[in-house]
Amino acid sequence: MHPRIRWGIAATGNIANVFARELALLPDHEVVAVGSRNLDRARAFAQEWGVRRAYGSYSEVADDPEVDVLYIATPHSDHLATARHAIESGTAVLCEKALTVNAHEARELVALARERQVFLMEAMWMRCNPLHLRLRELLAGGALGEPRSLNATLGFLADYDPTGRLFAPDLAGGALLDVGVYPVSLAHHLFGAPATVQATATLTSSGVDGTVGMLLGYDTGAVATLTGSLTGPLPNAAYVSGTEGWVELPPDFQAVDRLLVHRPGKDPEEYAVELLGVGYTYEAAEVARCLRAGLLESPLVSWADSIAVMEVLDAVRAQIGVRYPNDAAYDDLATPASDASDSQR
Amino acid sequence: MHPRIRWGIAATGNIANVFARELALLPDHEVVAVGSRNLDRARAFAQEWGVRRAYGSYSEVADDPEVDVLYIATPHSDHLATARHAIESGTAVLCEKALTVNAHEARELVALARERQVFLMEAMWMRCNPLHLRLRELLAGGALGEPRSLNATLGFLADYDPTGRLFAPDLAGGALLDVGVYPVSLAHHLFGAPATVQATATLTSSGVDGTVGMLLGYDTGAVATLTGSLTGPLPNAAYVSGTEGWVELPPDFQAVDRLLVHRPGKDPEEYAVELLGVGYTYEAAEVARCLRAGLLESPLVSWADSIAVMEVLDAVRAQIGVRYPNDAAYDDLATPASDASDSQR
């Protein structure tokens, strides 16, 4: 392992630019290669961020011998193919959320990473935010008593382009995989796997979910009410409650820099941090820590975590009737899962 | 109609005391009679609030010739019987929420009020709050664009008494009818009747819902995520969103004295009022207005509104498996309604 972490970046969209900007805040990280299906775009990105090599494909970045880890910022529909190629080439992978399009793909990728002994992590940066870690400690320490509920929303009004990555079924668009994955991952971070999953959604004319509402039930008795939307702004806050109080994660909850612990009849207790950048820095630092320690997965966003989240997303999609071309490879995704459509506890 | 509105009060619990205190803030209202199954309690209440006559039953209050309107503050399981007696005696009724235990009872009561031409209103005071009326105007006027979502929670940690009104199935206890009815009524106030109802809950050892989560879907494409709890405090705020922004109703949303209209990239816009009392005053004033105008129902909490809310509560209860003795009178409540258990849109 080189003393600096040398990144390759696959794709040059908005999130790739944000990630490059955040990496620039870290002294021991550098981007050494970037790839796009459009070589001109890769060159423009390379010039913008001082990246040495630009490629006209994602696979060439993964194959670049100087690249320690490939950051995959392509549309969801491409994650499996690009990550698979990198892992087969022995290149570590940080892959944007949702990790894949469905849980089958996630399990396939995880099996490959395990077999090839290559690092793989879903870029669920929220879980590396120091206050999200603090929140889990508070819950585990009984600061709220017994867990009762989670309420979280994440949404914005996106320009409607039925062929763009947000709305095209071919690119596994829709609110669920783009923004809904955050409240679902938060619910998993705090409460684990749900016993029941119920969902309702409004579909866009392109056939993906514009707004999705989810209701998760847990064996502990906790319930989670979650909303994601690409067709309207939402408060983007999260509230987790227990028998003795609740924690408020102000907007935007996935990048929170303060937590408020509310207890009836008492002044709120605040935990605040000064974040480095928006918070992708903590994810990059976690990748560096894992690579240096020779880990194959991060305990903050474990393989099991990512698969469990994808299983919830699959159950939601089965109920709201959103199908992607990638799903066609798996017979059981043709019909709703029986446990997902069971609306009783 | 007497120039002052002369109230009778059935039951002497906490909410009856709160209501009496609020009536005392209004110059043109007085309480002239109170009844309890326990005459001593009625006398103590009468002494506390300067009420002329105390009775050892609810029916005697309804029959008191000086009573213009009976406020029913008994447990839910009793609402139908006490309200029916009053309406049959020709006495107007303001009956605590939930109006009845199930929609059958609500329809029965409404049919009786219509037949006897007697005023009947569910004491859903939230709907008379000036800011809840303002909120509906804002939505109707397109201030948020197209409706997208409602997120609301209401809960507190109640002392667990399996024989008390909050937790006893005999008294139609549980989070749904006690606190969950507020977010459900708010959803109806803003979005009308839902196309789909999904729910999950944790039951107490007494067999009622301690915490209930609900997911409502609407033909407009809006979704509502609602939580009620008697087994833990919740944030008790509500957020209603549309394509262009969202309105925050700070805690406690049912008694809100300010609204914040948020639009992306702009400072929040605030609407505030100085409430008279906690807000039951507006409900009492609405009853007075209706009685003086000779109305049989209030447009703010119409009969159709109350029945529609009870239908949602019935659908939720069918899914979470909470049954009350009152339900036994109606065959179809023995099994879940087929449309309620349909988890697909």
Side-chain angles (χ1 to χ4, degrees):
Chain A
M1 181 61 49
H2 194 270
R4 303 182 80 183
I5 301 294
R6 297 168 305 183
W7 291 86
I9 296 184
T12 57
N14 177 58
I15 185 62
N17 281 276
V18 170
F19 193 69
R21 189 173 66 227
E22 296 264 305
L23 285 180
L25 299 174
L26 297 169
D28 55 344
H29 291 252
E30 63 182 322
V31 183
V32 298
V34 62
S36 169
R37 284 177 177 167
N38 178 322
L39 182 57
D40 288 342
R41 284 210 203 112
R43 284 178 175 148
F45 186 99
Q47 182 152 10
E48 168 86 16
W49 296 105
V51 176
R52 287 195 287 277
R53 284 181 300 286
Y55 296 106
S57 72
Y58 305 141
S59 57
E60 288 170 282
V61 187
D63 297 340
D64 185 311
E66 218 189 10
V67 167
D68 294 320
V69 52
L70 180 68
Y71 170 61
I72 299 176
T74 62
H76 307 128
S77 54
D78 169 78
H79 288 179
L80 175 63
T82 295
R84 185 161 50 196
H85 177 86
I87 292 170
E88 286 174 345
S89 306
T91 302
V93 166
L94 175 70
C95 181
E96 260 310 324
K97 51 80 204 165
L99 178 60
T100 51
V101 165
N102 56 50
H104 287 283
E105 289 189 352
R107 284 187 286 264
E108 190 175 326
L109 211 50
V110 162
L112 186 67
R114 183 180 284 115
E115 181 199 322
R116 302 297 176 103
Q117 295 285 293
V118 173
F119 178 81
L120 168 68
M121 176 177 164
E122 181 187 7
M124 182 40 80
W125 56 293
M126 173 183 76
R127 288 195 182 212
C128 304
N129 175 302
L131 286 177
H132 279 266
L133 297 172
R134 183 82 183 114
L135 173 60
R136 191 150 70 167
E137 284 169 15
L138 285 168
L139 257 71
L144 298 182
E146 294 296 310
R148 283 292 181 258
S149 75
L150 169 68
N151 306 281
T153 61
L154 195 63
F156 65 100
L157 180 60
D159 289 331
Y160 183 61
D161 172 4
T163 65
R165 71 166 192 91
L166 289 179
F167 294 104
D170 288 2
L171 302 175
L176 183 66
L177 266 63
D178 191 65
V179 289
V181 63
Y182 285 105
V184 170
S185 190
L186 177 60
H188 184 267
H189 180 69
L190 300 176
F191 295 158
T196 59
V197 175
Q198 299 178 70
T200 188
T202 314
L203 304 192
T204 62
S205 57
S206 61
V208 300
D209 50 308
T211 300
V212 59
M214 294 167 275
L215 178 60
L216 311 184
Y218 297 85
D219 286 335
T220 58
V223 304
T225 57
L226 315 173
T227 313
S229 185
L230 296 175
T231 58
L234 292 174
N236 299 352
Y239 303 88
V240 51
S241 84
T243 44
E244 293 169 23
W246 69 95
V247 177
E248 174 184 0
L249 288 74
D252 287 330
F253 77 81
Q254 78 278 24
V256 77
D257 63 359
R258 64 195 187 105
L259 294 184
L260 294 160
V261 181
H262 298 266
R263 289 191 179 83
K266 293 187 183 168
D267 287 336
E269 211 176 303
E270 181 174 293
Y271 296 82
V273 293
E274 197 167 330
L275 292 178
L276 179 62
V278 180
Y280 298 92
T281 51
Y282 301 95
E283 167 183 79
E286 174 63 5
V287 170
R289 188 188 74 80
C290 292
L291 292 179
R292 288 171 180 143
L295 301 179
L296 297 184
E297 60 179 317
S298 162
L300 303 188
V301 193
S302 75
W303 292 344
D305 290 341
S306 294
I307 291 170
V309 167
M310 289 309 310
E311 285 171 347
V312 173
L313 302 187
D314 283 358
V316 170
R317 282 204 295 124
Q319 292 180 49
I320 64 177
V322 171
R323 289 288 174 282
Y324 299 125
N326 290 41
D327 296 331
Y330 309 97
D331 287 347
D332 66 313
L333 292 181
T335 53
S338 62
D339 60 340
S341 60
D342 176 4
S343 60
Q344 299 269 352
R345 290 298 306 270
Chain B
M1 182 60 48
H2 194 269
R4 304 184 79 184
I5 300 295
R6 296 168 306 183
W7 291 85
I9 296 185
T12 57
N14 177 58
I15 184 62
N17 281 275
V18 170
F19 193 70
R21 190 172 66 226
E22 297 264 302
L23 284 180
L25 300 174
L26 297 169
D28 55 344
H29 291 251
E30 62 182 323
V31 184
V32 297
V34 62
S36 168
R37 284 176 177 166
N38 179 322
L39 182 57
D40 288 342
R41 284 209 204 113
R43 284 178 174 147
F45 186 99
Q47 183 153 11
E48 169 86 17
W49 297 105
V51 177
R52 287 195 287 278
R53 284 181 299 285
Y55 296 106
S57 73
Y58 307 140
S59 57
E60 288 169 281
V61 187
D63 297 340
D64 185 311
E66 219 189 9
V67 167
D68 294 320
V69 51
L70 181 67
Y71 169 62
I72 299 176
T74 62
H76 307 128
S77 54
D78 170 79
H79 288 180
L80 175 63
T82 295
R84 184 161 50 196
H85 177 87
I87 293 169
E88 286 174 345
S89 306
T91 302
V93 167
L94 175 70
C95 182
E96 260 310 324
K97 51 79 203 165
L99 179 61
T100 52
V101 165
N102 57 50
H104 288 282
E105 289 189 353
R107 285 187 285 264
E108 190 174 327
L109 212 49
V110 162
L112 186 67
R114 183 180 285 116
E115 180 198 325
R116 302 297 176 102
Q117 295 285 293
V118 173
F119 178 81
L120 168 68
M121 175 177 164
E122 181 187 7
M124 182 40 81
W125 56 294
M126 174 183 77
R127 289 195 181 212
C128 304
N129 175 301
L131 286 176
H132 280 265
L133 297 172
R134 183 82 183 114
L135 174 60
R136 190 151 70 169
E137 283 169 17
L138 284 168
L139 258 71
L144 299 182
E146 294 297 309
R148 283 292 180 257
S149 74
L150 169 68
N151 305 281
T153 62
L154 195 64
F156 65 100
L157 179 60
D159 290 331
Y160 183 62
D161 171 4
T163 64
R165 73 167 190 91
L166 289 179
F167 294 104
D170 288 2
L171 302 175
L176 183 67
L177 266 62
D178 191 65
V179 289
V181 63
Y182 285 104
V184 170
S185 190
L186 177 59
H188 183 267
H189 180 69
L190 299 177
F191 295 158
T196 59
V197 175
Q198 298 178 70
T200 188
T202 314
L203 304 193
T204 62
S205 57
S206 61
V208 300
D209 50 308
T211 300
V212 59
M214 294 167 275
L215 178 60
L216 311 184
Y218 296 85
D219 286 336
T220 58
V223 304
T225 57
L226 314 173
T227 313
S229 185
L230 296 175
T231 58
L234 292 174
N236 299 352
Y239 304 88
V240 51
S241 84
T243 43
E244 292 169 24
W246 70 96
V247 177
E248 173 183 359
L249 288 74
D252 287 329
F253 77 80
Q254 77 279 24
V256 77
D257 64 359
R258 63 194 186 105
L259 295 184
L260 294 160
V261 181
H262 298 266
R263 290 192 179 83
K266 293 187 183 169
D267 286 336
E269 210 175 306
E270 181 173 293
Y271 295 83
V273 293
E274 196 166 329
L275 292 179
L276 180 62
V278 180
Y280 298 92
T281 51
Y282 301 94
E283 167 183 78
E286 173 63 5
V287 170
R289 188 188 73 81
C290 292
L291 292 180
R292 288 171 180 142
L295 300 178
L296 297 184
E297 61 179 317
S298 163
L300 303 188
V301 193
S302 74
W303 292 344
D305 291 340
S306 294
I307 291 170
V309 167
M310 289 309 310
E311 285 172 346
V312 173
L313 302 186
D314 283 359
V316 170
R317 282 205 295 124
Q319 292 180 49
I320 65 177
V322 171
R323 289 288 173 281
Y324 299 125
N326 290 40
D327 296 331
Y330 309 96
D331 287 348
D332 66 312
L333 292 181
T335 52
S338 63
D339 59 341
S341 61
D342 177 3
S343 59
Q344 300 267 353
R345 288 298 306 271

